[in-house]
């Protein structure tokens, strides 16, 4: 820093540049393709013939101009439309000019008050520093949480930290530090910072601190870069990815060994065949599909409904198969770090040695976002332990499998200068926006995408009206909505053009009991889902001495819906329920009002994102499961139960109720949003819908284009293996057509208690 004399002319020039930047961003967001083309034309004209700009800058601009001049009208439409899409997404992140349940992204810091964010559980405050750890290159601070109770923070969240001694101190007027939550308990929170703070006085001089959520816009920068990388790709690659040319196949076949064929025949029913024209009846499942993927010269798409083994079977077998080719380098990608952890687990199982160690891969990413068993194979760790640059390069050259999230690999593009990757295997492909992946794919000879567009989709702030392409050239090739994943678009294109050799949909699931799978199998997957294990068709019947309705429910029923409608509304406003109900009618009434439940009903809800009645029902269900399982000498542990709720506020409330229950296994239970549950499974799933007002249905659902599948509901239901219990207000839920179908499906398995369930002791009495 240096002192500069006041210069009004310079200040005006700087402000003018700032205003021009904002004006151009508004033109990108609100304009059409012609407006974007005009902006680029103005940019090209501004540098042409200029001798005041640095050479490297004018060369970059000339490169963009030459690239666009060589593109077809269709390719320019593609580039301009997705440039607008990315710009609007970034605009919504920063400005928050969008209808949402709560302010979104960085915009929430000024579109809401501190008190509003605190009531929404989005702030940790009155924190005091316990310890500052600044050894080495990192910086971590451990804070005492004081009186903070329910909060919407968890390990791995990126955050902003700033001093807050009183109400006048805000995130907008204090120096902020950026980092990630490394650990959080009811009493403490540890933050690891992105950059080391050398001025220790900053921590010593401030007594109390606050933590708020942060948002990164680096993903938008990566999408801009990826979009241009695609435009510079060879024409054959551009035509392929735009769907103008059919994907090719190799001529050679890939037989499997007799030993593996014998093994697969023993473990797979011989009667099964995937309903697909490319089936090879002489090759057992799943090797027939692996062989079809290997025959693909350009790409192959695997649609895997829930429980069909997308990662555990197909991603693993593909990695094993390609790794068996000595000259093939493999890039394995996924959208989330959790999925990358599962892919690492699959690699350990397939390529590791007998003691579980595996040096056959390198993982790209950070230590905070990587599960402990795989940290030793992080590129960062390998680099730190390498003797010199040459030994690091030798390790990179030796290793043929690299694993990463899209975000991490986009931050390590120099890898592609060091190594050529022949094939990419992309898991969670239906969650990846087209601009996030389109620039990477031309770097590979071929790729295999694995996903399911009927499960969780891309995460986008724009609605359909804003993301519609509205361009005849793009619509002709099936690009109608910028929110769609490339995976979904290519699937639709293959179906339209009958390129059956390039895709397959799996129909065998080995996760759910058929009673749990019945609704998604019939409503979401027209081809159905067949079972592969004998237990998936077995009956459910446990015994219990308890007369408590929840004990009897979990003992008798494999799955049920508990409607809280009469617990939320007074009897005067409760409609008559004349629908048949095959459950024991004594389950519908309890005589004793639990102390907590009476208090919860009397309270005014602090937020529509919290439902204490549902949280208490969930906690009581967990207790009932524990006691009934123990009574039947059936193994029970917290890790076998998963609880899904749509909001972090409700998750925090459920966690608090479980802690209050005193159940020893409560701390082991996974309680998450449906987004965090994708890819996971549990023996028992409990779901709190937490819909308090009809307006919430718009945000609860994530519908497919045809409006026939709620992707979030599909994922939630299909996480359960043995038992599934749904808790929500059926009166509100029924207003949505998909939920009306769900409630009709559960007509004979619906419990509607008229008064809250009475408490019970830990012996089921």
């Amino acid at each position: 820093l240096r002192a500069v004399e006041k210069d009004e002319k310079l200040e005006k020039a700087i402000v003018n540049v700032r205003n021009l930047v904002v004006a151009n961003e508004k033109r990108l967001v609100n304009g059409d393709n012609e407006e974007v083309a005009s902006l680029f034309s103005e940019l090209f004209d501004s540098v042409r013939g200029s001798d005041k700009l640095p050479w490297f800058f004018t060369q970059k601009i000339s490169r963009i101009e030459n690239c666009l001049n060589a593109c077809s009208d269709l390719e320019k439409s593609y580039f301009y439309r997705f440039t607008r899409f990315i710009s609007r997404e970034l605009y919504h992140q920063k400005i928050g000019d969008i209808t949402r349940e709560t302010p979104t992204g960085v915009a929430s810091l000024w579109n809401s008050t501190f008190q509003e964010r605190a009531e929404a559980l989005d702030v940790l405050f009155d924190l005091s520093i316990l310890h500052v750890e600044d050894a080495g290159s990192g910086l971590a601070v451990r804070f005492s949480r004081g009186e903070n109770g329910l909060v919407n923070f968890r390990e791995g969240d990126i955050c902003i930290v700033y001093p807050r001694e009183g109400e006048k101190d805000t995130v907008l007027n204090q120096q902020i530090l950026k980092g990630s939550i490394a650990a959080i308990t009811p009493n403490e929170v540890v933050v690891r910072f992105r950059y080391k703070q050398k001025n220790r006085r900053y921590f010593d001089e401030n007594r109390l601190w606050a933590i708020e959520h942060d948002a990164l816009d680096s993903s938008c920068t990566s999408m801009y870069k990826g979009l241009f990388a695609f435009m510079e790709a060879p024409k054959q690659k551009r035509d392929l990815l735009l769907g103008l040319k059919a994907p090719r196949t190799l001529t050679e076949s890939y037989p499997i060994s007799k030993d593996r064929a014998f093994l697969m025949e023993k473990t797979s029913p011989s009667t099964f065949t995937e309903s697909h024209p490319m089936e090879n009846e002489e090759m057992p499942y799943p090797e027939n599909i692996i062989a079809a993927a290997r025959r693909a010269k350009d790409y192959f798409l695997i649609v895997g409904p829930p429980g069909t083994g997308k990662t555990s079977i197909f991603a693993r077998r593909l990695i094993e198969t390609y790794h068996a080719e000595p000259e093939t380098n493999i890039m394995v990608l996924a959208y989330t770090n959790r999925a990358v952890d599962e892919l690492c687990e699959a690699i350990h199982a397939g390529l590791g040695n007998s003691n579980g160690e595996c040096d056959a891969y390198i993982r790209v990413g950070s230590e905070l976002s990587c599960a402990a068993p795989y940290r030793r194979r992080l590129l960062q760790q390998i680099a730190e332990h390498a003797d010199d640059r040459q030994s690091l390069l030798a390790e990179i050259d030796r290793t043929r499998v690299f694993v990463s999230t899209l975000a991490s690999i986009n931050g390590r593009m120099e890898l592609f200068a060091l190594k050529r990757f022949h094939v990419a295997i992309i898991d969670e492909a239906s969650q990846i926006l087209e601009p996030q992946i389109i620039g990477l794919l031309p770097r590979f000879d071929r790729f295999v995408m694995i996903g399911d567009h009927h499960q969780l989709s891309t995460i986008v702030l724009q609605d359909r009206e804003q993301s519609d392409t509205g361009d005849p050239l793009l619509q002709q090739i099936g690009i109608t909505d910028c929110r769609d994943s490339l995976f979904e678009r290519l699937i639709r294109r293959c179906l339209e053009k009958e390129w059956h050799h390039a895709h397959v949909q799996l129909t065998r699931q080995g996760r759910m009991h058929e009673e749990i799978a019945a609704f998604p199998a019939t409503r979401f997957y027209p081809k159905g889902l067949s079972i592969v294990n004998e237990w998936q068709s077995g009956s459910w019947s446990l015994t219990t001495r308890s007369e408590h309705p929840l004990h009897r429910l979990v003992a008798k029923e494999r799955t049920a819906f508990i409607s809280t409608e009469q617990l939320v509304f007074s009897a005067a406003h409760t409609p008559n329920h004349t629908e048949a109900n095959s459950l024991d009618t004594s389950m519908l009434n309890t005589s004793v009002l639990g102390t907590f439940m009476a208090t919860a009903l009397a309270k005014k809800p602090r937020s529509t994102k919290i439902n204490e009645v549902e949280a208490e029902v969930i906690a009581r269900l967990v207790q009932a499961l524990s006691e009934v399982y123990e009574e039947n000498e059936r193994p029970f542990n917290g890790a076998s139960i998963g609880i899904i709720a749509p909001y972090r506020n409700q998750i925090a409330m459920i966690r608090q109720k479980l802690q209050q229950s005193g159940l020893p296994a409560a701390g082991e239970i996974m309680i998450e949003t449906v987004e965090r549950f994708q890819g996971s499974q549990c023996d028992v799933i409990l779901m709190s819908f937490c819909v308090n007002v009809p307006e919430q249905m718009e945000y609860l659902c994530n519908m497919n284009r045809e409006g026939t599948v709620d992707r979030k509901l599909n994922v939630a239901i299909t996480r359960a293996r043995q038992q599934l219990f749904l808790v929500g207000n059926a009166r509100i839920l029924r207003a949505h057509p998909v939920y009306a179908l769900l409630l009709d499906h559960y007509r004979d398995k619906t419990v509607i208690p008229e008064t809250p369930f009475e408490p019970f002791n830990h012996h089921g009495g």
Side-chain angles (χ1 to χ4, degrees):
L1 296 177
R2 60 188 176 88
V4 178
E5 292 185 8
K6 186 175 180 64
D7 187 333
E8 291 186 4
K9 185 177 180 180
L10 179 60
E11 287 180 0
K12 288 181 178 180
I14 292 172
V15 171
N16 183 58
V17 170
R18 189 277 311 270
N19 291 342
L20 286 173
V21 169
V22 173
N24 286 338
E25 287 183 347
K26 292 285 285 185
R27 289 174 65 186
L28 276 175
V29 170
N30 297 321
D32 55 16
N33 282 4
E34 290 184 3
E35 185 71 15
V36 179
S38 177
L39 271 168
F40 275 102
S41 179
E42 292 170 17
L43 173 65
F44 302 148
D45 290 341
S46 69
V47 301
R48 194 172 289 117
S50 173
D51 56 359
K52 296 181 180 180
L53 297 171
W55 176 84
F56 71 87
F57 179 77
T58 57
Q59 284 296 104
K60 287 183 177 180
I61 301 302
S62 296
R63 180 178 163 191
I64 297 173
E65 183 177 18
N66 293 335
C67 174
L68 290 178
N69 286 339
C71 289
S72 66
D73 289 342
L74 171 63
E75 290 165 342
K76 289 178 184 176
S77 292
Y78 180 89
F79 179 74
Y80 294 148
R81 183 61 189 93
F82 274 101
T83 296
R84 291 164 48 208
F85 171 74
I86 299 167
S87 299
R88 178 169 283 278
E89 199 67 12
L90 183 58
Y91 169 80
H92 285 318
Q93 285 182 19
K94 291 186 173 182
I95 305 300
D97 184 14
I98 190 171
T99 302
R100 306 287 286 189
E101 281 189 284
T102 54
T104 304
V106 179
S108 65
L109 297 177
W110 56 79
N111 283 341
S112 60
T113 66
F114 181 89
Q115 185 63 30
E116 288 171 338
R117 298 196 297 278
E119 289 178 356
L121 312 182
D122 287 333
V123 182
L124 276 163
F125 59 98
D126 290 343
L127 307 176
S128 56
I129 294 177
L130 295 174
H131 179 68
V132 178
E133 174 62 54
D134 62 353
S137 59
L139 171 67
V141 177
R142 188 166 81 251
F143 296 93
S144 170
R145 286 183 54 181
E147 298 299 319
N148 291 171
L150 299 178
V151 289
N152 281 343
F153 289 88
R154 55 192 168 199
E155 290 184 13
D157 283 357
I158 57 174
C159 62
I160 293 171
V161 181
Y162 62 95
R164 185 180 185 274
E165 300 284 347
E167 293 184 2
K168 292 183 179 180
D169 299 326
T170 74
V171 70
L172 302 179
N173 62 24
Q174 293 292 312
Q175 178 184 342
I176 63 172
L177 302 175
K178 296 195 171 190
S180 300
I181 304 292
I184 185 166
T185 70
N187 301 316
E188 296 181 0
V189 58
V190 179
V191 177
R192 191 175 301 278
F193 294 93
R194 293 181 214 165
Y195 306 104
K196 191 167 184 177
Q197 178 68 30
K198 295 183 179 180
N199 182 8
R200 285 291 298 271
R201 286 193 308 169
Y202 186 59
F203 297 111
D204 298 333
E205 293 172 352
N206 295 285
R207 186 175 63 90
L208 296 177
W209 297 75
I211 297 175
E212 302 207 36
H213 290 287
D214 193 13
L216 295 175
D217 59 15
S218 58
S219 61
C220 290
T221 302
S222 296
M223 284 195 282
Y224 282 129
K225 291 180 178 179
L227 200 55
F228 182 68
F230 168 71
M231 301 301 287
E232 284 197 311
K235 180 171 174 52
Q236 186 270 333
K237 291 285 189 181
R238 299 201 304 270
D239 288 348
L240 177 76
L241 294 174
L242 287 173
L244 300 177
K245 289 188 176 180
R248 301 166 296 173
T249 58
L250 299 171
T251 55
E252 62 265 34
S253 61
Y254 295 95
I256 59 173
S257 68
K258 292 183 179 179
D259 290 341
R260 178 164 287 279
F262 176 78
L263 175 63
M264 296 312 301
E265 286 170 0
K266 291 296 183 183
T267 56
S268 301
S270 59
T271 56
F272 171 77
T273 57
E274 293 288 324
S275 54
H276 198 285
M278 63 91 187
E279 286 296 322
N280 182 344
E281 295 182 359
E282 297 179 357
M283 194 172 288
Y285 173 90
E287 298 302 325
N288 52 351
I289 295 172
I290 300 300
R294 291 187 67 192
R295 283 195 297 270
K297 189 172 184 178
D298 294 315
Y299 66 75
F300 191 75
L301 311 172
I302 300 176
V303 180
T308 53
K310 292 186 291 295
T311 302
S312 60
I313 296 176
F314 291 95
R316 173 182 168 177
R317 284 292 300 121
L318 284 166
I319 294 168
E320 290 174 342
T321 303
Y322 285 123
H323 189 264
E325 301 172 5
E327 303 302 319
T328 300
N329 294 326
I330 310 156
M331 177 67 73
V332 185
L333 298 170
Y335 184 68
T336 64
N337 279 294
R338 173 171 290 180
V340 173
D341 284 340
E342 292 175 359
L343 288 165
C344 289
E345 182 181 4
I347 293 170
H348 275 244
L351 305 180
N353 54 35
S354 58
N355 64 5
E357 294 293 331
C358 182
D359 293 333
Y361 72 100
I362 290 177
R363 176 164 176 172
V364 181
S366 69
E367 188 172 316
L368 272 179
S369 56
C370 177
Y374 318 118
R375 288 175 185 165
R376 59 180 293 272
R377 294 308 298 168
L378 281 167
L379 179 60
Q380 177 183 344
Q381 292 281 339
I382 293 171
E384 289 177 359
H385 290 91
D387 294 332
D388 51 37
R389 177 180 171 82
Q390 291 305 314
S391 61
L392 173 60
L393 291 174
E395 179 67 9
I396 291 174
D397 183 65
R398 178 193 70 81
T399 306
R400 295 194 292 112
V401 181
F402 281 69
V403 193
S404 177
T405 62
L406 273 174
S408 294
I409 199 62
N410 278 320
R412 291 283 188 179
M413 295 300 289
E414 63 271 17
L415 266 178
F416 292 98
L418 300 174
K419 197 174 188 72
R420 179 191 173 194
F421 292 93
H422 303 89
V423 61
I425 299 169
I426 303 153
D427 201 3
E428 295 186 320
S430 58
Q431 293 181 254
I432 301 171
L433 282 167
E434 188 153 332
Q436 290 175 327
I437 191 72
I438 197 76
L440 279 176
L441 294 179
R443 295 179 178 272
F444 309 108
D445 295 345
R446 50 183 163 162
F447 62 88
V448 179
M449 282 186 166
I450 307 172
D452 180 9
H453 48 293
H454 284 171
Q455 295 189 62
L456 293 185
S457 62
T458 59
I459 299 174
V460 181
L461 296 177
Q462 299 168 60
D463 58 28
R464 175 64 186 270
E465 183 179 349
Q466 294 170 326
S467 62
D468 188 272
T469 60
D471 188 301
L473 289 176
L474 297 178
Q475 290 170 343
Q476 285 176 10
I477 60 171
I479 303 178
T480 60
D481 190 339
C482 295
R483 299 176 304 173
D484 290 343
S485 65
L486 176 64
F487 175 79
E488 181 174 358
R489 177 169 71 79
L490 290 179
I491 283 289
R492 293 180 184 277
R493 192 66 170 169
C494 286
L495 290 170
E496 177 191 353
K497 294 293 185 179
E498 298 185 351
W499 297 336
H500 298 304
H501 61 281
H503 71 100
V504 67
Q505 177 173 320
L506 311 178
T507 58
R508 301 184 68 204
Q509 67 89 10
R511 174 189 298 162
M512 300 158 279
H513 188 276
E514 62 182 0
E515 190 175 338
I516 294 171
F519 181 76
T522 55
R523 294 295 179 180
F524 298 158
Y525 297 99
K527 292 183 180 179
L529 295 174
S530 61
I531 60 174
V532 299
N533 302 302
E534 187 175 340
W535 69 263
Q536 291 177 278
S537 59
S539 60
W540 181 266
S541 180
L542 301 180
T543 60
T544 180
R545 296 185 300 274
S546 173
E547 291 299 316
H548 195 284
L550 286 184
H551 286 77
R552 294 167 59 196
L553 181 70
V554 301
K556 178 183 177 182
E557 300 296 331
R558 187 177 290 278
T559 180
F561 190 103
I562 302 175
S563 178
T564 60
E565 59 197 79
Q566 295 198 35
L567 303 182
V568 177
F569 298 101
S570 66
H573 294 89
T574 302
N576 292 325
H577 293 275
T578 58
E579 297 176 353
N581 191 324
S582 66
L583 294 182
D584 189 333
T585 56
S586 63
M587 290 184 179
L588 305 183
N589 298 278
T590 56
S591 58
V592 180
L593 188 66
T595 303
F596 170 82
M597 298 291 279
T599 305
L601 288 170
K603 287 181 180 179
K604 180 182 178 181
R606 73 179 77 181
S607 164
T608 56
K609 295 185 177 183
I610 289 178
N611 187 307
E612 291 191 65
V613 171
E614 289 186 22
E616 182 68 11
V617 171
I618 292 288
R620 298 279 176 84
L621 273 170
V622 174
Q623 285 183 279
L625 285 162
S626 171
E627 292 165 11
V628 170
Y629 277 37
E630 181 181 353
E631 191 176 350
N632 286 267
E633 298 183 349
R634 189 180 181 91
F636 177 88
N637 60 76
S640 66
I641 295 181
I643 301 174
I644 300 175
Y647 307 114
R648 287 187 175 191
N649 306 54
Q650 183 70 353
I651 289 169
M653 176 63 70
I654 293 170
R655 184 171 283 116
Q656 183 183 71
K657 298 310 162 196
L658 284 174
Q659 290 171 350
Q660 292 173 351
S661 73
L663 194 69
E668 303 171 13
I669 297 174
M670 181 178 177
I671 314 173
E672 284 291 0
T673 61
V674 68
E675 288 83 1
R676 302 272 289 197
F677 251 101
Q678 174 134 341
S680 301
Q681 60 184 15
C682 290
D683 286 344
V684 183
I685 287 290
L686 312 178
M687 182 170 184
S688 167
F689 288 102
C690 195
V691 175
N692 298 300
V693 293
E695 291 77 15
Q696 286 179 274
M697 292 302 297
E698 179 183 352
Y699 305 102
L700 178 72
C701 302
N702 181 352
M703 304 302 295
N704 67 340
R705 182 189 299 183
E706 294 78 14
T708 57
V709 178
D710 178 6
R711 298 177 175 114
K712 289 185 179 181
L713 178 63
N714 185 24
V715 173
I717 291 175
T718 57
R719 300 309 95 192
R721 288 170 51 81
Q722 294 281 4
Q723 283 188 288
L724 169 69
F725 296 101
L726 308 173
V727 181
N729 187 324
R731 177 192 290 177
I732 298 176
L733 293 170
R734 184 171 283 280
H736 193 283
V738 170
Y739 280 84
L741 291 172
L742 175 72
L743 291 166
D744 288 344
H745 179 84
Y746 275 86
R747 183 188 304 271
D748 297 332
K749 294 184 179 297
T750 297
V751 176
I752 310 174
E754 295 177 354
T755 57
F757 295 110
E758 62 183 280
F760 45 85
N761 60 39
H762 292 293
H763 302 287

